[in-house]
Amino acid sequence: MITTYTDFRQQLKSYLDKVRNSHTPLFVTSATGDDVVVLSKADYESMEETFYLLKSPKNAARLLQGIEDYEKGLGKERSLIDE
């Protein structure tokens, strides 16, 4: 979604509801080029967690290998242990 600062101010609640419900970022443009992106808190926290997990090259390689193994059908279903 893309809108202008003026439109964003006029329809703030509507835009925030759309961002929160659709999990789609909103790009708010300005005439000066000082654009902003609006994200839901849940999406922001998810993005931060992903950045954290991928920050370590060793951890990133392990996660990417796990995804590759899963896509090749090498994953194993396990049940959680209740304590």
Side-chain angles (χ1 to χ4, degrees):
M1 293 186 292
I2 301 173
T3 191
T4 63
Y5 269 77
T6 302
D7 193 43
F8 181 62
R9 277 192 308 267
Q10 291 171 349
Q11 299 182 54
L12 180 63
K13 182 183 180 330
S14 173
Y15 277 117
L16 293 181
D17 288 344
K18 286 178 187 175
V19 167
R20 190 173 23 257
N21 295 329
S22 70
H23 296 281
T24 302
L26 172 66
F27 296 87
V28 184
T29 62
S30 75
T32 63
D34 294 326
D35 302 343
V36 297
V37 178
V38 179
L39 295 170
S40 72
K41 182 179 178 190
D43 291 336
Y44 174 78
E45 289 172 346
S46 176
M47 187 175 67
E48 284 290 301
E49 183 176 353
T50 300
F51 290 156
Y52 175 79
L53 292 172
L54 296 177
K55 186 168 49 172
S56 159
K58 196 175 213 178
N59 196 48
R62 186 179 66 80
L63 291 169
L64 294 174
Q65 183 63 52
I67 291 169
E68 187 177 314
D69 290 347
Y70 175 78
E71 289 174 345
K72 289 179 181 176
L74 301 175
K76 295 179 184 175
E77 185 174 337
R78 298 181 184 198
S79 57
L80 297 175
I81 299 171
D82 283 332
E83 292 184 32

